[in-house]
Amino acid sequence: MQLYLPIAELSLNLFVLIGMGGAVGFLSGLFGVGGGFLLTPLLIFSGIPPPVAVASVTGQVVAASTSGALSYYRRGGIDFKLALYLVLSGIIGTAIGVWVFGLLRQAGLLEAAISLGYLVFLGSIGSIMLYEAARSLMMAQAGHPVPARMPRHHNWVHGLPLRLRFKRSQLYISVIPVVVIGIGIGLIGALLGIGGGFILVPALIYLLRVPGNVVIGTALLHVLCIMAAATVMHAVASHTVDIILAFTLMLGSVAGAQFGAAAGRRLRGDQLRLLLALVVLGVALRFAASLLIAPADPFSMAILTPGVV
Amino acid sequence: MRGAVLGVMVTLALVQPALGQRLVASTSDPEVSIDSTFAGEKITLFGAIEPEIGETEAPSGTYDIVIAIEGPSADRVARRKARTFGIWLNLEQVVFRNFPSFYWIIASAPLDQITDPGTIVEERLSFQAQSILATGAEDPTIEMFGGELVRLMQTRGLFGVDDRAVMFMSDRFYTARVDLPAFVPNGSYTARTLLFRDGAIVARRADSFSVRTAGIERFVADTARNQSLAYGLVCVGLALSTGWLGGLVFRR
């Protein structure tokens, strides 16, 4: 059954859209990521204009992270103080990102920057996560006791001044890395059109040593707030949010996210990280292929102004 | 003054010698509505060759019809990927201002059998870069990019030539059909109909039809454009409530 999308100005199969939303929603519930980094490329690959895909996915990510965040909130899995600091700095980062986005677009380098950005970030984070998760899994197999939380030994991040106490995370750390991470995620999110959960989760785990039982809920709340702001900004600035497309994706992803969250409870933290690492590396490989393999058609076209209506 | 000019024009029109024949035409859908299940549409254009007013019979001869259907224009960019440091990047691009987003040429016979190449170029009845792209540049790079852009439009069904789409039902009556693909752009379209007799244009007319989203889709598109802040807030509200409801429904 074909569904006409009024902002994208084309028809797509309804069940394909809900299916895509469901699959991505499952992953988002499982790993606590918004899923934008998977859904945006999928939509672009389906023929939806990239600006519409990016903007509509931000709306979908809000819905997917709401149900996920609520489910973690009920289990006390959110550090609100940490989330507040991250969101405030994230909005600053988003503003910088939107400005850089405009500069790159003027220079005609946006598409290359997006592909390279996805490749570099997904590739490096996926590799680090794969290495860490594989090591901890092998230690568990060798019979070493696996600590329930990350080792307490302090890295350089914990030596910085301006310390704050984050009770829920059982952390007493400097506010500087928190703000830097928030700005960085906001900047990358605006540039690549993603919520940044897949970067935020490992950053919170490996840099700040946020314990596993609050890291995903806090990341989901952060993604929710940033993407809600981004949806309104896209709607006002470029009129590219397709509410029908977004709603269709939401329906699939909300259902998928619940099953994902349920599945996540049955997996250990290191297993989850290993799976997420594999997914992230898979998407990175897809971008690597698009950059490295000779295209079937070296020519492409894009519309700069919408048709006169 | 204006009245005098009008009077002169009317007089001139009256003393014009009769052309012999004229075209009467219409379209099946003056307004194509795009709704939630839109998956493309076939439009039928039909018309008849009539004797000029005051005459009883149109001149006999072999008639041919060529119709050029042109959609709204937009600025388009054609890009070419090239390998740099082992990576395929869009390195070259050419922008074409006011490029038609839809251009189909339909005819009752192959164009080269209907008329001469000069008329084809003059009436923009081919996709030769110089006839449609109107960039005014002699640059071979721009011409090459223009050709590639036309090819990409053709593979999407937005550009094309069909020399069997116009059919004569009798000596004087013709019908023509044009396929609008599912992703046809919104806007107003013009159909230029040219009547050829023995290779020369003997009559012409222009009809227009519009392609518009209708119903809820139109409401959504208008709201997104005119009340963008409210639209964005509604999107976020919808997302929050969908997520919340989903959490309630699936709570176990």
Side-chain angles (χ1 to χ4, degrees):
Chain A
M1 192 188 131
Q2 294 287 306
L3 180 73
Y4 183 77
L5 308 168
I7 307 294
E9 296 193 348
L10 51 81
S11 299
L12 279 182
N13 188 298
L14 177 66
F15 301 110
V16 169
L17 283 175
I18 291 185
M20 280 201 274
V24 172
F26 182 83
L27 295 177
S28 96
L30 188 59
F31 301 125
V33 294
F37 75 98
L38 285 172
L39 200 46
T40 307
L42 271 177
L43 291 181
I44 294 172
F45 197 62
S46 313
I48 291 176
V52 178
V54 166
S56 306
V57 165
T58 59
Q60 181 275 334
V61 170
V62 173
S65 20
T66 302
S67 55
L70 279 175
S71 125
Y72 279 94
Y73 168 71
R74 283 189 214 105
R75 289 181 285 133
I78 294 181
D79 185 331
F80 281 100
K81 190 174 176 187
L82 183 59
L84 178 73
Y85 278 87
L86 285 171
V87 167
L88 290 181
S89 46
I91 288 170
I92 299 170
T94 306
I96 301 171
V98 167
W99 176 68
V100 176
F101 192 91
L103 288 184
L104 283 171
R105 196 174 194 171
Q106 276 183 344
L109 292 169
L110 188 60
E111 191 186 325
I114 287 175
S115 293
L116 273 176
Y118 267 110
L119 178 59
V120 168
F121 284 108
L122 296 180
S124 53
I125 284 160
S127 308
I128 294 169
M129 285 167 60
L130 187 66
Y131 170 75
E132 292 260 2
R135 199 182 57 170
S136 103
L137 271 179
M138 274 189 285
M139 276 169 67
Q141 287 223 317
H144 294 287
V146 180
R149 29 180 318 169
M150 294 303 290
R152 251 8 269 266
H153 69 254
H154 289 191
N155 52 24
W156 60 271
V157 168
H158 295 78
L160 294 168
L162 290 173
R163 290 185 151 208
L164 276 177
R165 190 169 296 282
F166 296 99
K167 274 207 197 97
R168 194 68 198 76
S169 304
Q170 299 167 31
L171 286 176
Y172 180 56
I173 49 164
S174 162
V175 76
I176 294 171
V178 176
V179 170
V180 168
I181 288 174
I183 291 178
I185 303 291
L187 191 133
I188 294 162
L191 274 180
L192 302 186
I194 51 181
F198 72 97
I199 309 172
L200 183 59
V201 171
L204 292 181
I205 292 174
Y206 298 117
L207 291 178
L208 301 187
R209 304 284 192 229
V210 175
N213 57 340
V214 292
V215 71
I216 291 181
T218 308
L220 275 173
L221 181 63
H222 172 266
V223 167
L224 192 165
C225 296
I226 293 291
M227 290 321 251
T231 303
V232 174
M233 273 156 58
H234 280 305
V236 171
S238 56
H239 313 311
T240 45
V241 182
D242 194 314
I243 197 169
I244 294 186
L245 171 62
F247 185 62
T248 315
L249 297 171
M250 280 173 208
L251 287 183
S253 71
V254 160
Q258 303 303 318
F259 293 107
R265 266 165 249 153
R266 292 193 202 100
L267 288 171
R268 286 212 320 272
D270 47 7
Q271 292 171 327
L272 271 180
R273 288 200 299 277
L274 181 69
L275 281 177
L276 180 57
L278 291 176
V279 171
V280 166
L281 278 180
V283 180
L285 282 179
R286 169 75 183 75
F287 275 97
S290 76
L291 284 169
L292 295 176
I293 296 171
D297 187 350
F299 289 92
S300 63
M301 65 173 177
I303 199 156
L304 293 179
T305 55
V308 185
V309 178
Chain B
M1 183 62 198
R2 186 176 289 172
V5 172
L6 258 181
V8 170
M9 283 170 70
V10 169
T11 320
L12 277 176
L14 285 175
V15 298
Q16 280 268 329
L19 287 168
Q21 60 277 298
R22 64 200 173 97
L23 274 170
V24 181
S26 186
T27 58
S28 57
D29 302 83
E31 179 155 324
V32 178
S33 295
I34 297 181
D35 54 21
S36 56
T37 54
F38 183 77
E41 189 156 318
K42 279 192 200 334
I43 292 219
T44 307
L45 306 153
F46 49 88
I49 302 156
E50 292 279 312
E52 193 53 74
I53 298 165
E55 293 186 17
T56 49
E57 220 171 298
S60 60
T62 320
Y63 288 106
D64 276 302
I65 296 273
V66 181
I67 307 175
I69 297 117
E70 189 169 353
S73 46
D75 293 349
R76 261 180 204 269
V77 59
R79 300 189 171 113
R80 178 165 64 176
K81 282 198 168 78
R83 196 193 276 264
T84 0
F85 303 112
I87 299 174
W88 287 90
L89 298 174
N90 281 322
L91 285 182
E92 281 180 279
Q93 62 173 39
V94 176
V95 176
F96 294 92
R97 303 265 169 225
N98 295 318
F99 192 79
S101 53
F102 186 91
Y103 203 98
W104 266 85
I105 299 154
I106 54 177
S108 53
L111 279 153
D112 52 5
Q113 292 172 21
I114 295 178
T115 187
D116 55 286
T119 311
I120 290 178
V121 170
E122 200 176 308
E123 293 294 335
R124 308 197 302 138
L125 300 180
S126 82
F127 294 122
Q128 299 300 313
Q130 66 272 21
S131 65
I132 281 192
L133 303 177
T135 52
E138 298 287 312
D139 191 334
T141 313
I142 293 179
E143 203 165 298
M144 187 268 291
F145 270 91
E148 294 293 335
L149 181 53
V150 166
R151 179 180 62 78
L152 290 167
M153 296 294 276
Q154 277 175 315
T155 58
R156 298 207 72 193
L158 291 167
F159 275 28
V161 178
D162 187 347
D163 53 28
R164 281 174 306 186
V166 180
M167 277 174 297
F168 276 96
M169 312 302 279
S170 73
D171 284 351
R172 297 285 178 264
F173 183 72
Y174 69 89
T175 64
R177 69 179 156 68
V178 58
D179 286 329
L180 301 179
F183 38 82
V184 67
N186 278 354
S188 78
Y189 287 65
T190 54
R192 277 189 301 128
T193 308
L194 303 173
L195 176 64
F196 286 88
R197 195 183 67 205
D198 305 328
I201 299 171
V202 291
R204 62 168 75 221
R205 63 174 286 137
D207 298 274
S208 65
F209 61 91
S210 62
V211 175
R212 294 249 180 280
T213 45
I216 181 89
E217 284 72 25
R218 180 168 198 173
F219 174 74
V220 168
D222 286 350
T223 312
R225 205 165 289 112
N226 301 328
Q227 269 115 31
S228 50
L229 180 61
Y231 178 86
L233 292 174
V234 167
C235 286
V236 172
L238 182 70
L240 289 173
S241 47
T242 309
W244 174 70
L245 272 176
L248 279 187
V249 169
F250 290 97
R251 190 172 178 182
R252 278 163 296 179

